Amino acid sequence: MTIDIDAKAKSLVDAVMAQPATDQDIELVQRQLGRYPRGMVAVGARCVCGRPLAVITRPVLPGGIPFPTTCYLTGPEAVKAASHVEAAGVMQQYNEMLGEDEELKAAYAEAHQLYLAFRHELAARLGDSEEHIEGTSAGGMPVRVKCLHALLAQSLVMGPGTNPIGDLVLERVKDEFNPAVCRCTVL
Ligand SMILES: [Zn+2]
């Protein structure tokens, strides 16, 4: 299983490094977030129209700031959809499911391992230190659900089947946000 995770992490990072962020990507993400995306390495997931949905951020930001949220949600419609699910109190339900469903719990722990392996590979290629973020992934993983934005970002970047909670969010919001249906408002 470890070998599978490492191999998957490497191939994901290969894909990221093959298409580094362009000036146009960075400019669009800046408009999506309303701030400059420091440390942005590449667009990790795009809307069907090509606009960024999630970006890959390096483990150490310029200025030496450790940054654990390697997969960061930027698409305003995706951000809003995740916020609506959080506001509806669904995180509590997901946490209860994690407590009761061993299979879900194991898949979620594996998503955490893949997140760490992905960042480890990225850090190695960029020469970034993971000293201050070692063992820390995102969104509350491996045992809690704390931020649906981070989990949705992982699902979008790494594909279906990598983060079971991110997948549940994606399924739940599909009438509001769906990467296959362009509803982009930041153009
Ligand atoms: Zn779009």
Side-chain angles (χ1 to χ4, degrees):
M1 183 158 68
T2 308
I3 293 164
D4 284 354
I5 286 180
D6 287 347
K8 179 151 193 188
K10 279 195 170 66
S11 85
L12 285 164
V13 173
D14 282 342
V16 165
M17 300 302 275
Q19 292 195 299
T22 64
D23 289 346
Q24 195 188 357
D25 290 332
I26 293 170
E27 200 256 342
L28 191 41
V29 171
Q30 179 165 7
R31 271 186 282 139
Q32 290 179 324
L33 297 176
R35 60 173 173 78
Y36 183 79
R38 289 195 304 160
M40 175 175 160
V41 177
V43 175
R46 294 180 189 272
C47 176
V48 67
C49 73
R51 293 186 181 86
L53 295 176
V55 299
I56 307 303
T57 303
R58 63 188 305 165
V60 180
L61 299 183
I65 299 148
F67 193 81
T69 317
T70 311
C71 302
Y72 196 93
L73 199 62
T74 67
E77 292 68 36
V79 170
K80 253 180 255 169
S83 295
H84 290 157
V85 180
E86 287 186 355
V90 180
M91 276 198 287
Q92 173 67 23
Q93 186 189 323
Y94 290 157
N95 276 311
E96 284 164 12
M97 286 163 67
L98 277 178
E100 291 158 5
D101 184 336
E102 286 300 320
E103 211 171 300
L104 180 69
K105 192 177 166 181
Y108 194 56
E110 198 166 310
H112 169 71
Q113 291 303 331
L114 179 60
Y115 204 102
L116 294 182
F118 177 77
R119 191 175 62 221
H120 185 66
E121 183 67 22
L122 190 66
R125 298 207 204 176
L126 296 172
D128 280 3
S129 164
E130 294 180 280
E131 190 186 354
H132 299 287
I133 51 177
E134 209 167 337
T136 303
S137 61
M141 291 188 283
V143 291
R144 299 287 295 166
V145 177
K146 288 184 180 167
C147 175
L148 298 183
H149 302 80
L151 304 177
L152 179 57
Q154 184 181 12
S155 277
L156 291 171
V157 168
M158 302 188 185
T162 55
N163 189 308
I165 302 291
D167 288 356
L168 286 176
V169 175
L170 197 49
E171 175 62 25
R172 191 180 175 98
V173 302
K174 65 184 178 195
D175 293 335
E176 183 182 1
F177 164 74
N178 179 342
V181 179
C182 177
R183 298 184 179 99
C184 291
T185 51
V186 175
L187 306 176

